[in-house]
């Protein structure tokens, strides 16, 4: 039996380096590419450490956005900094797992950009034409599924368990992935929401009223405006020349026609749902409803973990510290159970 452990994740790491690695090989990774007629090139990278051994497989996917796995930032003073989208120390994990990283469509493993301030990098780094035209829920689910099928034949993977972890946008896609690929035996949704992602924006406006930030009339005007935009996106679900909040209509329509909660309820495999009580990206009200619905239907395959004072990146507002590492350790311990 073969064991496949898949981790789909998102995060930002920063490192000041004197000599920055430039290729996957220098990061301890071996590059692979699957060519698909509809999906195009699917580029992914596996840790070289013990690649011939029989180990579980971890696939690390970042969340939303068009950034490379690594981005080298250079400023006018000659200083440079590496930004990465994978929070796990995958070289350490490679002692026990085959670790895999996956690039977005039309996005290199590493690229560089000239910026005056490091805060400008995400705005100044432009997406490729291929990324703009292809990025969607379907692309991410189908490409990951093909990687699972490929690696299950090409390298020695211990036993027959597949665990898919998604952070933010990744959390939305892992229930769909588990439905599409029957090899998946556990999923973990971290701050990915459970309802229609558009509903997060509506909820955020209602919460502002109760916090005394805006009036009820102002909130209603904003919600009416949002629904007008959502209607336009749903009417143009394949548009790649129309954008909202930095994403194409195609991307929004694909993720907002597929409801994570509905997919999770169809699954009988173990599910871990992690959220932050101060998360404005995925308001807690929508996440809480997932557990309530599982209770209503008598399903017992959901574990629900909340960090009450944490935001989307697990900054604890009460303790004034970041708890991302603590959360990641909890996830790994849950997996190992």
């Amino acid at each position: 039996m073969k064991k496949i452990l898949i981790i789909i994740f998102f995060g930002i790491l920063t490192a000041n380096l004197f000599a920055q690695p430039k290729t996957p090989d220098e990061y301890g990774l071996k590059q692979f590419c699957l060519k698909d007629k509809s999906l195009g090139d699917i580029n992914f990278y596996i840790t070289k450490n013990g690649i011939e051994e029989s180990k579980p497989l971890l696939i690390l996917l970042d969340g939303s956005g068009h950034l490379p796995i690594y981005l080298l930032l250079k400023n006018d003073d000659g200083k440079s900094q590496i930004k990465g989208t994978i929070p796990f120390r995958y070289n350490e994990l490679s002692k026990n797992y085959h670790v895999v990283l996956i690039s977005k469509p039309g996005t290199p493993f590493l690229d560089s950009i000239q910026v005056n301030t490091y805060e400008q990098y995400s705005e100044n780094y432009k997406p490729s034409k291929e990324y703009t035209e292809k990025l969607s829920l379907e692309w991410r689910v189908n490409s990951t599924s093909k990687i699972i099928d490929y690696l299950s034949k090409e390298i020695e993977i211990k036993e027959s368990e597949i665990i898919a972890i998604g952070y933010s946008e990744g959390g939305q896609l892992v229930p769909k992935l588990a439905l599409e690929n029957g090899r998946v035996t556990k999923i973990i949704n971290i701050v990915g929401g459970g309802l229609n992602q558009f509903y997060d924006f509506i909820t955020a406006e209602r919460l502002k009223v109760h916090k005394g930030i805006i009036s009820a009339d102002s909130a209603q005007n904003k919600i009416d405006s949002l629904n007008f935009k959502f209607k336009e996106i749903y009417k143009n679900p394949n548009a790649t020349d129309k954008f909202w909040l930095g994403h194409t209509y195609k991307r929004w329509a694909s993720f907002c026609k597929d409801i994570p909660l509905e997919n999770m309820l169809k699954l009988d495999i173990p599910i871990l749902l992690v959220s932050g009580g101060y998360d404005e990206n995925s308001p807690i009200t929508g996440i809480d409803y997932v557990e309530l619905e599982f209770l209503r239907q008598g399903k017992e395959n959901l574990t629900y973990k909340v960090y009450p004072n944490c935001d989307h990146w697990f900054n604890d507002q009460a303790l004034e510290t970041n708890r991302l590492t603590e959360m990641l350790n909890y996830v790994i311990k849950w997996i190992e159970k």
Side-chain angles (χ1 to χ4, degrees):
M1 299 291 286
K2 294 182 177 181
K3 180 177 181 181
I4 305 176
L5 175 58
I6 296 183
I7 295 185
I8 299 182
F9 222 93
F10 168 79
I12 293 293
L13 297 180
T14 305
N16 291 296
L17 305 174
F18 294 103
Q20 291 85 2
K22 295 180 175 61
T23 66
D25 185 73
E26 292 178 86
Y27 282 90
L29 299 165
K30 181 177 180 179
Q31 183 169 354
F32 289 79
C33 179
L34 299 180
K35 295 186 178 294
D36 185 86
K37 191 170 287 187
S38 60
L39 299 174
D41 288 355
I42 305 170
N43 291 297
F44 61 100
Y45 317 87
I46 305 178
T47 46
K48 296 187 295 182
N49 181 25
I51 196 170
E52 301 299 330
E53 300 174 11
S54 176
K55 295 186 289 187
L57 178 68
L58 281 68
I59 299 183
L60 311 178
L61 272 129
D62 54 6
S64 64
H66 59 279
L67 296 178
I69 292 173
Y70 285 106
L71 188 62
L72 176 62
L73 314 180
K74 302 176 181 179
N75 65 17
D76 295 336
D77 296 330
K79 296 180 180 179
S80 59
Q81 186 181 69
I82 286 281
K83 289 283 186 181
T85 60
I86 305 298
F88 280 106
R89 295 182 176 89
Y90 56 82
N91 282 321
E92 292 180 15
L93 290 173
S94 69
K95 298 174 184 177
N96 300 313
Y97 305 101
H98 297 299
V99 184
V100 178
L101 286 65
I102 304 175
S103 288
K104 301 284 180 57
T107 305
F109 172 81
L110 181 145
D111 206 349
S112 61
I113 185 173
Q114 191 79 26
V115 292
N116 293 321
T117 63
Y118 290 139
E119 289 75 16
Q120 299 174 344
Y121 74 95
S122 60
E123 296 179 1
N124 291 331
Y125 187 82
K126 303 302 180 184
S128 68
K129 181 183 179 189
E130 184 178 359
Y131 172 90
T132 300
E133 292 178 347
K134 291 184 177 178
L135 195 282
S136 65
L137 172 69
E138 290 76 18
W139 192 94
R140 298 202 68 181
V141 168
N142 293 336
S143 61
T144 305
S145 183
K146 287 183 179 296
I147 291 171
I148 293 172
D149 294 341
Y150 175 81
L151 291 177
S152 66
K153 299 174 183 176
E154 295 298 320
I155 63 176
E156 190 60 35
I157 303 169
K158 191 177 180 182
E159 297 180 358
S160 59
E161 185 177 7
I162 302 177
I163 302 172
I165 304 180
Y167 195 112
S168 193
E169 181 180 282
Q172 292 183 307
L173 72 89
V174 290
K176 182 76 168 180
L177 175 65
L179 289 176
E180 295 291 328
N181 194 311
R183 289 191 172 98
V184 178
T185 56
K186 293 181 184 177
I187 62 169
I188 299 172
N189 176 349
I190 301 174
V191 295
L195 305 181
N196 188 325
Q197 191 177 12
F198 285 151
Y199 186 61
D200 293 344
F201 296 95
I202 295 173
T203 302
E205 296 304 316
R206 297 295 187 202
L207 290 174
K208 289 177 185 177
V209 175
H210 291 281
K211 292 178 181 179
I213 299 174
I214 61 176
S215 69
D217 288 335
S218 295
Q220 190 58 53
N221 288 336
K222 177 63 175 179
I223 290 169
D224 290 342
S225 176
L226 285 170
N227 280 324
F228 181 84
K229 174 58 69 174
F230 301 155
K231 182 178 181 180
E232 183 181 359
I233 291 172
Y234 281 128
K235 283 186 173 181
N236 299 274
N238 296 311
T240 58
D241 58 345
K242 297 178 183 293
F243 295 82
W244 185 60
L245 297 182
H247 297 292
T248 65
Y249 281 18
K250 178 179 180 177
R251 183 269 172 202
W252 283 114
S254 69
F255 276 91
C256 294
K257 74 180 180 183
D258 199 274
I259 309 303
L261 172 58
E262 294 177 357
N263 291 333
M264 284 189 277
L265 287 169
K266 296 174 184 177
L267 299 170
D268 294 319
I269 61 175
I271 299 170
L272 172 62
L273 181 63
V274 181
S275 63
Y278 266 75
D279 188 352
E280 295 184 353
N281 294 60
S282 298
I284 194 72
T285 51
I287 300 292
D288 285 334
Y289 186 75
V290 174
E291 183 179 38
L292 179 61
E293 190 64 16
F294 269 75
L295 293 173
R296 185 182 74 84
Q297 297 199 22
K299 293 181 67 69
E300 299 181 348
N301 58 317
L302 175 71
T303 301
Y304 185 41
K305 174 68 173 177
V306 180
Y307 291 80
N309 296 298
C310 288
D311 63 12
H312 198 63
W313 299 274
F314 290 88
N315 296 306
D316 192 301
Q317 311 302 304
L319 300 177
E320 297 184 351
T321 187
N322 185 273
R323 300 176 66 184
L324 179 65
T325 299
E326 176 188 339
M327 183 274 294
L328 297 181
N329 289 337
Y330 173 84
V331 169
I332 296 300
K333 288 179 180 178
W334 184 86
I335 291 170
E336 293 175 348
K337 288 180 181 179

